[in-house]
Amino acid sequence: MAGLHCGAGAGTVRRMELPQVPPDASLPFACELFTRWSDEDNQGVLNNAIYLTLFEEGRHRYFLGLGLLDSAQFPFLLAQTHLKFLAPGRGGCAVRLTMGTTRIGTSSFEQAYRIHGPDGTVWCEGEALLVCYDPRTGKSRAMDPDFRACLERG
């Protein structure tokens, strides 16, 4: 666009890094999720915010399956996400989410996600940084050893 300048200098466009999502064979968890017809925006494609909801729904199923949810509450907070939209998604259909944990730190961990449309086309890939926290203090805390062990087994 004429007159639009991004980055440090005039005419410089900074390219964002792509999410580092390994091949599906390296993502140990998969589930079927559903988009709603009302998830489409006025351009007739899946609204960008819906992908984060799909990631969260998959994350919930993943941690529920590992037995790591206390009263259906995550013991961590979402600190950062990074998405790459690869093909227009649609509402009102079944999608396949694949995901896995890619890094485990002292108080945080990272996960990678991929959303496949009904025909197998990859709609979106993304990463998330999640931080364990203490709800009483509202501050980050070291990861519980049992939680870490479950993540490592994945």
Side-chain angles (χ1 to χ4, degrees):
M1 291 183 204
L4 177 62
H5 300 287
C6 302
T12 302
V13 176
R14 183 181 158 281
R15 292 187 56 86
M16 296 177 71
E17 296 291 324
L18 294 175
Q20 302 299 308
V21 180
D24 278 342
S26 299
L27 299 174
F29 182 79
C31 65
E32 184 178 57
L33 300 169
F34 296 90
T35 62
R36 302 169 305 167
W37 65 268
S38 60
D39 290 340
E40 290 186 2
D41 60 23
N42 64 359
Q43 295 175 312
V45 298
L46 205 61
N47 183 279
N48 62 68
I50 301 303
Y51 293 95
L52 291 172
T53 300
L54 293 170
F55 289 0
E56 184 176 38
E57 288 295 322
R59 194 163 43 243
H60 188 269
R61 290 185 187 191
Y62 176 75
F63 283 102
L64 192 61
L66 291 176
L68 293 174
L69 293 186
D70 182 24
S71 302
Q73 299 293 313
F74 290 124
F76 51 80
L77 296 175
L78 178 65
Q80 182 176 339
T81 61
H82 186 187
L83 283 70
K84 172 74 175 175
F85 303 105
L86 300 168
R90 298 285 178 222
C93 62
V95 298
R96 182 171 176 261
L97 174 124
T98 54
M99 64 173 283
T101 302
T102 56
R103 186 193 66 78
I104 302 172
T106 303
S107 63
S108 66
F109 58 100
E110 294 175 18
Q111 292 190 314
Y113 308 85
R114 184 173 287 115
I115 301 284
H116 302 263
D119 65 355
T121 300
V122 177
W123 290 355
C124 180
E125 294 180 335
E127 297 175 292
L129 172 64
L130 303 130
V131 179
C132 296
Y133 84 110
D134 183 337
R136 292 175 314 232
T137 65
K139 296 182 180 182
S140 66
R141 62 169 176 78
M143 193 177 301
D144 179 76
D146 292 335
F147 185 89
R148 173 185 294 282
C150 280
L151 276 183
E152 289 171 346
R153 287 192 302 272

